[in-house]
Amino acid sequence: TMVQSTASFTSESLAALKQRYAEAGQGHVFKGFDELDDKAAGEFFGQLSGIEVERVTGFFKKATAAHGQEGGDKIEPLEAGSFASALDRAQADERAQWRAEGMRLIGANKVAVILLAGGQGSRLGSSEPKGCYDIGLPSQSSLFAIQAHRIRRLQQLSGNTATIPWLVMTSGPTSAATQATFAQAGYFGLREEDVFFFNQGVLPCFDFDGRILLEQAGRVAVAPNGNGGVYEALRVSGALDWLRERGVEHVHSYCVDNCLVRVADPEFVGYAALRGAECGALVVPKKAWDEPVGVICLRNSRFGVVEYSEISSEMAQLTRAGSGELA
């Protein structure tokens, strides 16, 4: 992560750290440092040492600069050959090929699943990890249980020869509770050694002027770094090495509150594999041109997600020649 705790300090190391923060424009965090007791000062020094202050300050500047640009990006619809539709009946034969390839890869133990489960169920009226939520099925199964059942079923469909490793990304508030839930449920019928827990990282909080905020004297305010933090978290947790040792070549990632997800979807995995794609995205078509959802398109000739607020009404209403579908 970009925020981690280290050890005690000397006057020389403290001076060096203060200089780093001052050069990054964050010297204000040391205000009141001399008033902390030895234990609090040591902990604060450890937290500050673990923050890549130049890098995170750069993140803020880059994000706010991009937000302030008007009309700087060239946004275009995806090219026709860069995607396919599972709703197109004319592609039934191709879909069968995608699924067959996906099942082959699953049977060869080449596919793993990453679950992004750092969120709490606070908006659902629960303080538990969101994956513990009962969505109201007759079985009273939690989201975790539903997804584990789908993994088990795919393993069975492969002839019980496959193992689909399940990597579960948690956060500080959900880590212990999530692991306890899995243990109490006997890993929902999966083998404990096939489940890998890892924590997403955190980043300092900033005010609108780009100054790092303090939660209190002697402690930087931090927050989870979002789903995008999965890449660094996979690396620093050892998860990538764990996957390499197992010979995994394809990974399906999804969010915990997606109750309809086809975990390790063999059709999608097979499609991406046969296309030789480094990365793929599974989406649903918009119901109407003015539906307020983001879309995948080309931003400056590169694939990306563009928010509906970034697209003009004229562009949102563009259709594809022949099909008449929204572009």
Side-chain angles (χ1 to χ4, degrees):
T1 65
M2 287 165 211
V3 179
Q4 53 192 356
S5 184
T6 55
S8 58
F9 61 93
T10 63
S11 57
E12 291 81 6
S13 61
L14 177 59
L17 188 63
K18 285 184 175 180
Q19 183 176 349
R20 275 186 59 203
Y21 272 75
E23 291 175 352
Q26 304 293 351
H28 64 279
V29 300
F30 285 96
K31 184 178 180 179
F33 185 92
D34 295 337
E35 300 170 14
L36 300 173
D37 60 37
D38 289 347
K39 182 176 184 296
E43 292 175 351
F44 193 32
F45 179 88
Q47 186 188 31
L48 293 174
S49 298
I51 297 173
E52 299 175 77
V53 63
E54 302 86 358
R55 189 179 181 197
V56 298
T57 301
F59 287 167
F60 179 88
K61 292 178 179 178
K62 183 177 180 181
T64 52
H67 183 71
Q69 292 176 353
E70 294 294 336
D73 290 336
K74 181 182 180 182
I75 298 174
E76 301 171 284
L78 296 178
E79 297 176 355
S82 64
F83 64 93
S85 173
L87 303 177
D88 188 350
R89 294 183 179 179
Q91 291 186 304
D93 290 344
E94 291 178 274
R95 289 184 59 192
Q97 294 175 13
W98 303 337
R99 180 175 177 80
E101 176 64 7
M103 291 302 297
R104 185 190 70 79
L105 291 168
I106 289 170
N109 297 324
K110 298 297 184 183
V111 179
V113 172
I114 296 177
L115 166 59
L116 306 178
Q120 292 175 286
S122 51
R123 284 185 292 178
L124 303 172
S126 171
S127 61
E128 292 185 311
K130 200 178 291 184
C132 297
Y133 193 73
D134 174 357
I135 62 173
L137 294 178
S139 64
Q140 298 183 316
S141 295
S142 68
L143 289 165
F144 284 144
I146 293 167
Q147 293 155 18
H149 175 77
R150 291 172 181 166
I151 292 175
R152 293 203 321 269
R153 183 60 179 152
L154 265 182
Q155 292 179 162
Q156 292 167 0
L157 289 173
S158 71
N160 284 318
T161 60
T163 295
I164 301 175
W166 198 12
L167 297 95
V168 183
M169 186 177 82
T170 58
S171 62
T174 66
S175 178
T178 297
Q179 294 189 52
T181 297
F182 271 68
Q184 291 165 9
Y187 291 81
F188 304 102
L190 299 172
R191 297 188 305 177
E192 180 180 354
E193 59 265 32
D194 295 331
V195 181
F196 188 103
F197 296 99
F198 65 106
N199 262 4
Q200 71 183 108
V202 294
L203 286 171
C205 300
F206 291 83
D207 65 15
F208 289 114
D209 296 321
R211 289 158 52 94
I212 291 177
L213 293 170
L214 297 183
E215 180 182 318
Q216 60 187 43
R219 175 156 294 278
V220 172
V222 298
N225 61 6
N227 287 338
V230 66
Y231 303 106
E232 186 175 27
L234 284 169
R235 178 178 58 82
V236 301
S237 67
L240 287 182
D241 294 331
W242 187 73
L243 289 172
R244 288 192 187 100
E245 289 170 2
R246 288 170 165 258
V248 170
E249 298 176 358
H250 306 273
V251 175
H252 181 212
S253 177
Y254 68 97
C255 293
V256 67
D257 46 6
N258 184 355
C259 62
L260 300 179
V261 64
R262 294 178 177 176
V263 183
D265 182 353
E267 190 171 310
F268 176 51
V269 170
Y271 168 74
L274 289 173
R275 289 292 300 262
E278 293 185 358
C279 180
L282 187 62
V283 299
V284 295
K286 292 174 68 171
K287 294 186 296 184
W289 71 268
D290 56 351
E291 184 179 6
V293 294
V295 296
I296 293 181
C297 59
L298 295 177
R299 185 197 291 268
N300 298 329
S301 301
R302 300 179 65 180
F303 293 109
V305 177
V306 175
E307 295 301 326
Y308 65 92
S309 57
E310 300 179 78
I311 303 174
S312 67
S313 296
E314 293 75 20
M315 183 173 291
Q317 295 179 68
L318 289 176
T319 56
R320 295 192 177 276
S323 67
E325 296 175 342
L326 291 172

